[in-house]
Amino acid sequence: MSVMGRFTTRSLKKNLVRTIVTVLGVALSALLVTAVLSTFVSLNRFLYDMELAESGSWEACVELADGAQAALAQEDGSLSAAGAQLAATLSDIGFCSYDDLGETGGNNDMSYLALKGFTGDVSSVLGLRCTDGRLPQSADEVLLPYNLSDENTGYDNGYRLGATVTLTFGQRQVPEGQPNAEGRLNSSQGFYVVDANGVTSANGARPEEVVSETLVDKQTRSFTVVGFYSRWNQAVVTGVGWTAFTAEPPAPGAFTEAYLEVPGAQTSAEVESAATQAFPDAEAVQLHNSLLRARGVTSQSPLWESFGAIVVILAVVVIVACISLIYNAFNISVVQRMRQFGLLASIGATKRQLRRSVALEGAIIAGIGVPLGILAGLGATAAALAWANPLFMESMVGDVGPGGNYLDGLSLGLHIDGGIIAFAAVLTVFTVFASLLVPMLRAGKASPIESIRDTRSVRIGRRGMRKAAAAARSKRAIWTPRGFAGRVMGVGGTIASLNRSREKSKGRTASAALAVAVTLMMTAGQLDVTLSTLTRTADVIPYDFMVFSYVDINRPSGDGGEQAVSDDGDAPATADDGGAADAGPSYDEVIDAYGNLYRDLSQVEAVQPRGWQVSYDTAGIVPASVTGDAVGMVKAELPDGDCMPLLTVCLMDDQLFDELCSRVGIDPQEITESETPKAIGAGTTYSRNPETGTFSEQSLFASTGAIRVLQGSSVNGAPLTSFYFDYGDDGSGEIWGCSRPDAEGNQELSPLAEADNVLADVDVVAIAGKDAFFSSSNEMTIAMPLSKGVEWGFGRSFMNSMSFSAMLDCDHDRMMDTEEDLYAATNGFSSSFVKAYPGTYVHTGVSNLYSSQVSMTNLVSIVRLFSLLFSVILVLIAMANVFNTLTNSLALRRREFAVMQSIGMGRRTFRSMIAAECVGYGAWGLVFGVLASLVVGLALNMALGSTIENAAFTVPWAYLGLSLALVVVAMGLSVAWGLHLCRSRNIVEALRME
């Protein structure tokens, strides 16, 4: 080793504390960069592996009208020329009516079992895996959905492994002469129906009431059942239901989905271009965006754009903080050794050798700190991911149901990427040497004479000389307190003020270190706020179960069911008072039936009932001052400036309504004892913009006030029972209402503004926040007590759109058993209601809300964990920076302190001087640190804007208080250690400083 090398290593050993702190600073920098990047890469890898397991490795799906096009593209080289590979195909063979499949249970009026042939490795390409058995290997074998198996249905249809089944299938045909008819339909198209008004639809209409498609050209084939599957993904989804699979290539003229992989594609546009080039006559091209996004090929998800921007911002903050820490350490080291550099220069050391000495010091520290930091970063990331894995799997995957073993072996763990590790190492080393530039130049400029005299650190300008002369002529005592600092801290404060003015560079260094510390700790707070905001976009209803039901009365107008409301809005009158045996249920009977259902649900073992409600859709007239500004709110503008929105009315039982009032902060009696209708409005909600994919917290009710709610509407004497919004070309529109078909199938259809309407005045006396579970996305919603709502006549005319919801809690140890018991109770309700009122159709369901709560709780815990780890590392960097800067700054002033003590400065004055200097450093550091942290916070808030529109910027006041406390602690420890170093030598030794 050269003389300069030995000099450098000896200097590092001699100043061991400074060396250790600097190595720790570099290690923390490498640790944080490695942890941030490794966490992002590991999460991305997990999502990629999960997407492979769920949906396969395909990147583009091309819909072809003729299956022969797939084989032709391979033969004529179109695929290879486009850089694409044909990984698998699915082609239509036919469609099986559920009537021909035997007794399967459920309502399959508008569904088929699609029969498809496949080629390729559909297990890996499409994620098609078996719950039981294996995939077909020939055209006489079939894979069926698990819901058809005898084990699932309980019927003996012969759908079991090894059995031979005969399937009757045909082609879907639209009747000639129907509007929007396209002849034959394929598996990508929904069920074709045309209502009495000539409107084509695939949702909500019952086949017996409309003209619908038929199956033609029926034929039969026998298959051996070799397997069952249960998962719903891209491969099995069709426009009309589940799919049965057999191993068979596409037939000429058969609708075919060709699944492509495009190796080497860098963007989603390249994938789409390759698919279009290979199949220029394709009917449609669909990209596997979730897989491409996880591969880094596309970033179309606003959420991932936000996360990517946050990672970049944090990386910049870390780099700046590390440069500050390392620069301060090396700069102080160089200043401390300027006498040594001057002596070396005086005996022949060149500027290049001096600069190399500083560079060698940086290389040694980087060589120790960077590997330690990277190893510690990988270890910390692995530990954090191992802790978060069970929570993350439960949040992201949940209960996968039958056949869930497709995720066996999949876990959120550390994914070591050599490129990421190399990038973290290079970035940290670059940060070290970027921090060395100024100290290297300063060392190279060391003047032998001035370094030996040790005068470069303090220069007294002309202004200082004039002040010194004036002070000498003054009759005031030399140690008289002067200025604000002197008046508060005495003579020590005056000396501290003079020190700051004559040694501004040292003061700026200390203040900068403190500012960086405040910025880092405030950044940790801003990160916590930002990530917490992302998790709030998902609302969770605070109950374990919600049981829901609605009754489709399915009666022509005039045969019972909905009841008209008289003009005074009080006395209901049935459309048929004859009490015919086949009349639908009355309003009161439906309410009573729902009350009985809630009573039965409440008696299920381990259930704690929390309340129930009925809700229905109607319309209203709302003043502009009361109407919120939610994007996509369904409303029609009226000439006077008011609006007519679609409106949801919730009628809650006393228990549920009292809880809502408690959350809102009003006395329930204000509404329950009122003679006139009063309600609570839904104020804000998070909703997703379908065009941008972003979320926004939007206002439904802007304020309290009087509104008018539609209680009944009719055209030509026929009650309007349902409403929809008819959009115009410019985005505006109006609300239309329609009646149920009469005995001949005729319906009345009219703009609501032109109908005979009965409106009730309702006073909205309170606004609930977005946590009001009764609010629906973009629809104005009000809630009132069920007893008063019935008394005031709400819902009597809209029974067919009325739905029931029961909120229940239960013992979490019996979740599965309780869910089964709840299903049994709802099935019993459906059977008894249909028997009591023939011709009705009852829809029921049980929603397990507890799993959603657990998922959200786990997600928040994960976010908090990573935010906490990041905060801890930032605090350590900040503390190391402050400690290193202040202790070495004090150590450099040992000679100065010795001079002060030699001329009579006492310990009390000395301590007040140090305290005053620290207060000055801390004040400036706090000011600039808060300003810098606000800039970082605004940048994080802008990154959040990719996911949440108009996200409110929040100052983390708690972290500001924590920053102040930690800065005080760091300064106290630093000053205590620095003064200890100063006292370790006596005055004579400090004055010699040789």
Side-chain angles (χ1 to χ4, degrees):
M1 182 180 290
S2 65
V3 173
M4 296 302 295
R6 288 196 295 272
F7 166 75
T8 301
T9 55
R10 189 168 58 212
S11 176
L12 290 173
K13 292 178 182 178
K14 185 177 180 180
N15 298 276
L16 191 58
V17 173
R18 191 199 71 231
T19 301
I20 292 175
V21 172
T22 307
V23 169
L24 288 177
V26 173
L28 286 172
S29 305
L31 185 155
L32 194 54
V33 172
T34 303
V36 170
L37 296 178
S38 296
T39 299
F40 185 81
V41 169
S42 299
L43 179 60
N44 213 46
R45 180 67 186 191
F46 171 81
L47 295 177
Y48 177 76
D49 291 341
M50 189 171 73
E51 189 63 30
L52 282 179
E54 287 185 335
S55 301
S57 61
W58 65 277
E59 297 174 0
C61 173
V62 181
E63 296 183 1
L64 306 173
D66 187 352
Q69 292 176 268
L72 181 62
Q74 281 187 308
E75 294 171 359
D76 64 12
S78 299
L79 279 166
S80 57
Q85 299 174 356
L86 182 61
T89 63
L90 292 179
S91 56
D92 287 0
I93 297 176
F95 301 88
C96 306
S97 169
Y98 275 85
D99 292 337
D100 296 328
L101 293 174
E103 185 63 50
T104 59
N107 174 27
N108 300 297
D109 289 336
M110 299 172 64
S111 302
Y112 297 121
L113 176 68
L115 179 60
K116 290 188 176 185
F118 69 81
T119 62
D121 184 5
V122 293
S123 177
S124 61
V125 176
L126 301 179
L128 182 60
R129 294 179 176 85
C130 299
T131 302
D132 197 9
R134 60 172 175 82
L135 293 173
Q137 298 175 352
S138 63
D140 59 357
E141 297 179 341
V142 70
L143 174 71
L144 296 175
Y146 176 78
N147 66 319
L148 282 183
S149 68
D150 291 352
E151 179 183 4
N152 179 65
T153 63
Y155 298 107
D156 186 13
N157 294 318
Y159 299 131
R160 51 185 176 271
L161 286 181
T164 299
V165 297
T166 300
L167 298 181
T168 300
F169 59 90
Q171 304 303 319
R172 299 169 59 195
Q173 176 69 48
V174 176
E176 295 184 5
Q178 296 300 321
N180 302 322
E182 300 177 5
R184 295 289 174 91
L185 301 175
N186 59 54
S187 57
S188 70
Q189 297 169 298
F191 196 91
Y192 184 94
V193 294
V194 183
D195 65 21
N197 298 290
V199 178
T200 57
S201 172
N203 299 307
R206 295 178 61 80
E208 59 266 29
E209 297 177 351
V210 296
V211 176
S212 63
E213 64 179 76
T214 57
L215 288 181
V216 299
D217 300 337
K218 288 188 175 183
Q219 53 183 298
T220 59
R221 276 176 59 178
S222 295
F223 299 91
T224 300
V225 179
V226 295
F228 293 96
Y229 69 91
S230 65
R231 290 183 47 250
W232 184 279
N233 69 2
Q234 170 71 23
V236 306
V237 64
T238 71
V240 288
W242 293 84
T243 305
F245 297 93
T246 186
E248 184 171 302
F255 173 79
T256 300
E257 295 168 327
Y259 291 88
L260 308 181
E261 295 178 354
V262 187
Q266 300 299 315
T267 65
S268 56
E270 291 181 11
V271 175
E272 186 172 8
S273 175
T276 305
Q277 180 182 345
F279 297 98
D281 298 326
E283 295 188 344
V285 175
Q286 179 182 354
L287 300 184
H288 196 170
N289 284 318
S290 52
L291 183 78
L292 296 177
R293 188 181 305 118
R295 265 187 49 199
V297 173
T298 180
S299 60
Q300 295 178 357
S301 169
L303 182 61
W304 280 102
E305 289 180 8
S306 290
F307 273 125
I310 290 171
V311 169
V312 171
I313 294 170
L314 295 181
V316 171
V317 171
V318 170
I319 291 172
V320 171
C322 295
I323 288 177
S324 171
L325 170 62
I326 300 168
Y327 168 78
N328 286 342
F330 283 110
N331 188 53
I332 291 172
S333 172
V334 169
V335 171
Q336 192 175 22
R337 292 183 292 154
M338 285 302 290
R339 284 174 57 85
Q340 299 172 1
F341 288 136
L343 288 172
L344 290 171
S346 68
I347 60 176
T350 65
K351 294 182 178 180
R352 184 178 182 183
Q353 287 177 317
L354 295 176
R355 289 195 295 267
R356 281 187 172 182
S357 173
V358 178
L360 177 60
E361 183 175 339
I364 292 174
I365 288 179
I368 299 173
V370 171
L372 285 177
I374 289 177
L375 291 175
L378 293 175
T381 304
L385 293 178
W387 178 88
N389 178 59
L391 302 178
F392 193 83
M393 289 294 291
E394 193 171 7
S395 299
M396 296 294 294
V397 180
D399 182 11
V400 296
N405 57 354
Y406 73 98
L407 290 177
D408 281 353
L410 186 65
S411 64
L412 176 62
L414 175 65
H415 177 69
I416 299 178
D417 188 314
I420 290 297
I421 295 176
F423 177 76
V426 170
L427 183 61
T428 310
V429 171
F430 169 79
T431 301
V432 171
F433 283 95
S435 307
L436 283 174
L437 288 178
V438 174
M440 287 171 60
L441 293 175
R442 176 171 291 179
K445 294 179 180 179
S447 170
I449 296 177
E450 292 189 2
S451 297
I452 293 172
R453 291 173 58 198
D454 198 20
T455 60
R456 290 182 59 90
S457 60
V458 178
R459 287 182 176 274
I460 302 177
R462 293 180 180 179
R463 183 181 179 187
M465 293 295 290
R466 288 196 301 269
K467 283 187 174 182
R473 292 192 298 269
S474 175
K475 296 181 180 180
R476 298 172 62 186
I478 295 177
W479 298 114
T480 301
R482 295 177 175 86
F484 176 78
R487 287 192 296 271
V488 176
M489 306 292 292
V491 174
T494 301
I495 298 174
S497 179
L498 294 173
N499 287 339
R500 287 197 301 271
S501 64
R502 70 185 178 87
E503 297 181 89
K504 292 183 178 179
S505 61
K506 292 182 179 179
R508 283 194 294 267
T509 301
S511 296
L514 292 169
V516 170
V518 173
T519 302
L520 291 177
M521 286 181 276
M522 290 284 286
T523 297
Q526 294 287 2
L527 177 65
D528 185 41
V529 171
T530 300
L531 296 180
S532 297
T533 303
L534 284 174
T535 62
R536 286 201 301 268
T537 57
D539 293 328
V540 177
I541 300 176
Y543 301 101
D544 293 339
F545 287 103
M546 182 173 70
V547 177
F548 55 90
S549 174
Y550 72 92
V551 176
D552 183 355
I553 297 175
N554 191 31
R555 281 289 175 187
S557 178
D559 286 352
E562 270 84 3
Q563 301 174 30
V565 177
S566 61
D567 291 340
D568 59 11
D570 291 330
T574 61
D576 178 9
D577 292 330
D582 61 348
S586 68
Y587 173 82
D588 293 330
E589 289 170 335
V590 172
I591 297 295
D592 289 342
Y594 283 146
N596 292 333
L597 171 59
Y598 179 69
R599 182 199 60 203
D600 294 341
L601 296 172
S602 303
Q603 294 174 356
V604 170
E605 184 179 357
V607 162
Q608 296 95 45
R610 300 305 184 199
W612 64 285
Q613 69 176 25
V614 292
S615 59
Y616 65 93
D617 296 326
T618 183
I621 297 178
V622 181
S625 60
V626 177
T627 307
D629 57 358
V631 176
M633 184 189 297
V634 183
K635 60 183 180 180
E637 301 294 339
L638 300 179
D640 59 0
D642 295 342
C643 72
M644 178 181 285
L646 290 181
L647 191 71
T648 298
V649 178
C650 295
L651 307 178
M652 299 181 172
D653 78 332
D654 292 342
Q655 182 181 5
L656 201 60
F657 189 75
D658 288 350
E659 181 181 342
L660 177 62
C661 290
S662 175
R663 293 163 66 186
V664 175
I666 67 170
D667 186 351
Q669 293 183 352
E670 181 179 351
I671 298 177
T672 58
E673 295 184 359
S674 174
E675 296 298 327
T676 59
K678 292 184 178 181
I680 298 174
T684 57
T685 182
Y686 269 117
S687 60
R688 184 175 181 272
N689 189 322
E691 296 181 0
T692 63
T694 57
F695 290 88
S696 60
E697 188 174 15
Q698 299 182 349
S699 170
L700 298 173
F701 275 93
S703 67
T704 59
I707 66 172
R708 307 190 72 194
V709 178
L710 186 70
Q711 282 194 291
S713 182
S714 63
V715 174
N716 299 326
L720 302 181
T721 59
S722 59
F723 307 96
Y724 66 93
F725 193 77
D726 185 25
Y727 287 94
D729 296 335
D730 59 354
S732 62
E734 59 183 340
I735 297 177
W736 284 61
C738 60
S739 65
R740 286 185 290 110
D742 60 18
E744 286 74 35
N746 300 315
Q747 285 180 293
E748 293 290 345
L749 192 67
S750 170
L752 190 57
E754 300 176 7
D756 298 325
N757 300 320
V758 176
L759 296 163
D761 293 325
V762 176
D763 187 11
V764 178
V765 297
I767 302 297
K770 73 180 185 67
D771 59 348
F773 60 87
F774 61 83
S775 63
S776 55
S777 58
N778 286 329
E779 202 165 287
M780 299 187 76
T781 306
I782 61 173
M784 60 180 62
L786 175 63
S787 57
K788 299 299 291 187
V790 172
E791 177 186 330
W792 293 328
F794 286 91
R796 291 188 179 274
S797 295
F798 308 108
M799 289 168 50
N800 216 43
S801 66
M802 184 178 291
S803 62
F804 162 88
S805 302
M807 315 305 169
L808 309 167
D809 286 337
C810 78
D811 184 349
H812 295 161
D813 294 333
R814 298 191 73 257
M815 292 293 293
M816 295 185 62
D817 292 338
T818 302
E819 187 168 358
E820 292 179 0
D821 292 342
L822 293 176
Y823 269 114
T826 58
N827 291 336
F829 167 76
S830 300
S831 300
S832 61
F833 194 92
V834 171
K835 289 179 180 178
Y837 305 102
T840 58
Y841 189 88
V842 179
H843 306 256
T844 59
V846 177
S847 179
N848 188 332
L849 304 176
Y850 177 71
S851 60
S852 300
Q853 297 175 38
V854 170
S855 296
M856 182 53 61
T857 301
N858 292 344
L859 183 60
V860 171
S861 299
I862 293 169
V863 169
R864 294 290 185 185
L865 169 68
F866 286 104
S867 179
L868 176 63
L869 293 177
F870 189 84
S871 301
V872 169
I873 297 173
L874 288 183
V875 168
L876 291 175
I877 292 178
M879 298 284 279
N881 193 10
V882 172
F883 181 84
N884 198 33
T885 302
L886 292 183
T887 53
N888 285 287
S889 295
L890 291 173
L892 286 175
R893 297 171 63 188
R894 275 184 273 188
R895 188 176 184 183
E896 175 188 337
F897 295 155
V899 170
M900 292 179 179
Q901 292 174 351
S902 68
I903 62 177
M905 177 181 283
R907 288 189 175 184
R908 181 177 179 181
T909 303
F910 181 75
R911 286 194 296 266
S912 65
M913 178 190 72
I914 297 298
E917 288 184 7
C918 288
V919 170
Y921 298 154
W924 283 109
L926 179 63
V927 169
F928 289 107
V930 170
L931 292 176
S933 66
L934 291 178
V935 173
V936 175
L938 288 172
L940 289 172
N941 188 258
M942 293 175 63
L944 191 63
S946 299
T947 301
I948 300 177
E949 298 177 3
N950 304 319
F953 176 69
T954 304
V955 178
W957 297 107
Y959 277 85
L960 178 58
L962 180 63
S963 301
L964 290 174
L966 289 177
V967 165
V968 171
V969 171
M971 289 175 61
L973 294 175
S974 303
V975 170
W977 178 254
L979 294 179
H980 169 73
L981 294 178
C982 292
R983 289 194 296 268
S984 63
R985 289 186 179 184
N986 59 40
I987 295 177
V988 176
E989 290 179 343
L991 288 173
R992 291 178 59 194
M993 287 289 289
E994 294 178 356

